[in-house]
Amino acid sequence: MHELRLLCPEERVEAVSDALEALDALSISVEDADARTPAEQALFGEPGMPPPKEGWQRSLVIALFAEEAQAREAAQLLAPQDFFQGCRFIAIVDVPEQDWVRLTQSQFEPVEITPSFWIVPTWHEPPAQAEQVIRLDPGLAFGTGTHPTTRMCLRWIARRPPAGQRVLDYGCGSGILAIGAAKFGAAAVDAVDIDPAAVQSTEANAQANHVQVRAGLPDQAGGQYDTVLANILATPLKVLAPLLCGHVAPGGALVLAGILARQADELKEAYAPYLQLEVADEEEGWILMTARRST
């Protein structure tokens, strides 16, 4: 593998990236060329949302090619283009051969939810103290237990086992929350997502963990549930307020995550006509909000 490295001003990043993609680059990444210097710029955004900008004032654009000749040809073709004005070629760098599978696996260790409840990739043995384990490998769908929002939801489930309950996981991603609910005794679990890949991932992960989960698109969610879980992001959670609250049975619980601490008041306001949300947990700037419908 060979990396073509270019220095581009922010306004040229999108056009150069599009051209590199057309020239069969295997991947394209953009970094702050001034990273780890006093001129470094921070770009803040939320997971799953579009980036606030395409790049930095001085962006390092890195394109990966299978052959060195492809990288050199791409540099030659880009140089005379109008949209390349203000950009410059830096280098073509050989990428050393690596066992990418082993490298990826090394980045995912068992994740502790509680001292007795762990998320464990299939290439690891569960810790000796683990009494309850979800086997889960990283994949296309969001949710491996490494993000604070997922951990907080799973802790809530572990501390309030939904034994015998009907549970809804809305926006299920990998299905990790649905699987957690089933592991802790839920009688029936529906897991829904707008992404068909997430539905497939949930089905496969549930099967691998030997639990029953009914996965499907959002219109599969029907009736009321004893527990409704939604780990998404603040903006869609506000839009979904009437729908999610409508699925909560009398005496049932609503559990929301994907919310930054500074967004607590706007979520409370959005849900006030239906249920009274409170902050139940906080980790690394993210919060878990819950409410219970009166019987």
Side-chain angles (χ1 to χ4, degrees):
M1 297 290 182
H2 302 269
E3 287 181 349
L4 169 61
R5 299 189 167 204
L6 306 167
L7 184 65
C8 300
E10 178 188 328
E11 64 272 13
R12 302 294 186 187
V13 168
E14 185 174 7
V16 170
S17 297
D18 289 345
L20 287 166
E21 185 176 356
L23 291 168
D24 296 327
L26 300 174
S27 69
I28 301 155
S29 60
V30 183
E31 301 175 5
D32 185 356
D34 296 315
R36 295 175 294 279
T37 75
E40 181 176 9
Q41 291 180 296
L43 295 181
F44 298 101
E46 291 188 15
M49 300 295 286
K53 292 183 177 181
E54 294 295 336
W56 291 262
Q57 289 181 6
R58 282 168 28 91
S59 293
L60 180 63
V61 179
I62 303 171
L64 185 66
F65 289 91
E67 304 290 340
E68 182 178 359
Q70 288 179 294
R72 293 199 178 279
E73 183 181 14
Q76 291 168 1
L77 290 171
L78 286 173
Q81 305 302 321
D82 291 342
F83 60 78
F84 199 71
Q85 186 176 358
C87 305
R88 66 182 175 87
F89 168 81
I90 296 177
I92 293 175
V93 179
D94 291 345
V95 179
E97 289 291 332
Q98 296 197 57
D99 185 337
W100 295 105
V101 172
R102 186 176 298 276
L103 180 63
T104 300
Q105 290 179 348
S106 70
Q107 298 171 8
F108 291 90
E109 297 289 329
V111 176
E112 179 181 351
I113 304 303
T114 72
S116 61
F117 178 28
W118 290 72
I119 312 301
V120 184
T122 55
W123 53 83
H124 281 285
E125 287 299 316
Q129 68 271 33
E131 298 173 9
Q132 190 65 269
V133 171
I134 295 178
R135 287 290 198 174
L136 194 69
D137 295 341
L140 292 175
F142 175 80
T144 60
T146 59
H147 196 274
T149 60
T150 308
R151 291 197 299 269
M152 288 190 291
C153 288
L154 289 170
R155 272 202 302 270
W156 191 93
I157 292 169
R159 291 169 179 168
R160 301 163 185 79
Q165 293 186 7
R166 187 170 187 239
V167 175
L168 172 64
D169 179 3
Y170 198 98
C172 57
S174 67
I176 190 170
L177 302 185
I179 294 166
K183 289 270 186 178
F184 279 91
V189 183
D190 284 348
V192 300
D193 202 291
I194 60 173
D195 184 357
V199 174
Q200 294 173 3
S201 179
T202 295
E203 291 173 338
N205 288 330
Q207 185 175 8
N209 281 277
H210 311 291
V211 295
Q212 294 293 319
V213 171
R214 195 170 72 109
L217 298 176
D219 59 3
Q220 180 176 285
Q224 294 186 316
Y225 298 81
D226 303 295
T227 298
V228 175
L229 304 156
N231 181 16
I232 314 176
L233 285 170
T235 299
L237 284 175
K238 287 190 289 185
V239 174
L240 290 167
L243 184 149
L244 293 175
C245 292
H247 281 306
V248 181
L254 176 66
V255 181
L256 306 179
I259 307 161
L260 294 167
R262 59 178 170 79
Q263 297 169 323
D265 288 343
E266 59 188 275
L267 264 294
K268 287 181 180 180
E269 183 179 350
Y271 280 77
Y274 317 102
L275 293 170
Q276 302 306 304
L277 284 177
E278 297 295 337
V279 177
D281 202 352
E282 182 170 359
E283 185 177 338
E284 297 180 18
W286 298 88
I287 57 174
L288 184 79
M289 303 192 76
T290 62
R292 190 168 291 276
R293 184 177 295 283
S294 59
T295 55

